[in-house]
Amino acid sequence: MAEVLFYHLTESTLEEALPGLLEKSVERGWRAVVQTGTEERRDALDVHLWTFRDDAFIAHATDREPFPDEQAVLLTTSHDNMNGAQIRFLVDGAEPPDLSVYARAVFIFDGHDAMQLEAARGHWKLMKTHGHSVTYWQQTPERRWERKA
């Protein structure tokens, strides 16, 4: 079973929070897949990860490019694990695939979006029902993650 984390964004946007989480995953030697709810969001994150800081970028590809299996970070709308990722990030209410093949899964949701909050609640219940180890993290005013459950 996967370790499943729910990250509740209250102080920053997905674009601000995701790059740091991806950097930490890659530093651990993990491959990561980011599943978005729409192709438009996937494409926007694709551009953002190349330009999010003046002094850094996250090397990645999308599922529409050749050789997805060679990517350390892959952006997708699919349930497939095309790059053999150990960690899966689910954003914008993306519907999860079977997460038992991952070491970790991370649901990131916007605390100011009622639909994302409701989707996260549903995913929480489903993940607990499936026997995953589930934790809930919320941002502090300093934008740090604090475990709440």
Side-chain angles (χ1 to χ4, degrees):
M1 291 287 110
E3 177 185 15
V4 180
L5 293 77
F6 285 79
Y7 281 10
H8 185 167
L9 296 169
T10 57
E11 304 299 324
S12 63
T13 65
L14 175 66
E15 289 79 7
E16 293 167 328
L18 183 61
L21 296 170
L22 288 172
E23 286 174 326
K24 288 180 183 177
S25 298
V26 171
E27 286 170 8
R28 289 183 173 164
W30 289 352
R31 287 180 173 234
V33 62
V34 179
Q35 182 184 339
T36 62
T38 65
E39 291 180 359
E40 293 80 15
R41 181 61 140 174
R42 177 203 60 203
D43 295 346
L45 287 174
D46 177 29
V47 171
H48 179 69
L49 293 177
W50 290 116
T51 61
F52 74 97
R53 266 192 349 235
D54 289 340
D55 64 340
F57 64 88
I58 296 176
H60 67 282
T62 69
D63 56 3
R64 64 175 191 242
E65 297 172 58
F67 312 111
D69 57 318
E70 297 178 8
Q71 304 303 317
V73 176
L74 184 70
L75 307 178
T76 188
T77 58
S78 167
H79 283 178
D80 297 334
N81 186 4
M82 292 181 257
N83 67 335
Q86 292 87 10
I87 185 168
R88 186 173 200 96
F89 292 89
L90 298 115
V91 302
D92 292 339
E95 288 296 319
D98 175 14
L99 297 176
S100 63
V101 300
Y102 297 92
R104 183 176 287 173
V106 180
F107 289 84
I108 304 174
F109 58 98
D110 183 343
H112 304 290
D113 183 316
M115 289 178 58
Q116 286 190 34
L117 283 170
E118 190 60 34
R121 287 183 185 112
H123 293 314
W124 173 274
K125 291 175 187 173
L126 185 63
M127 295 302 112
K128 287 187 72 85
T129 300
H130 287 157
H132 295 290
S133 169
V134 180
T135 57
Y136 167 73
W137 300 78
Q138 187 174 26
Q139 282 185 314
T140 67
E142 298 80 29
R143 297 182 178 199
R144 297 202 175 279
W145 297 106
E146 182 176 88
R147 184 175 176 168
K148 297 285 188 169

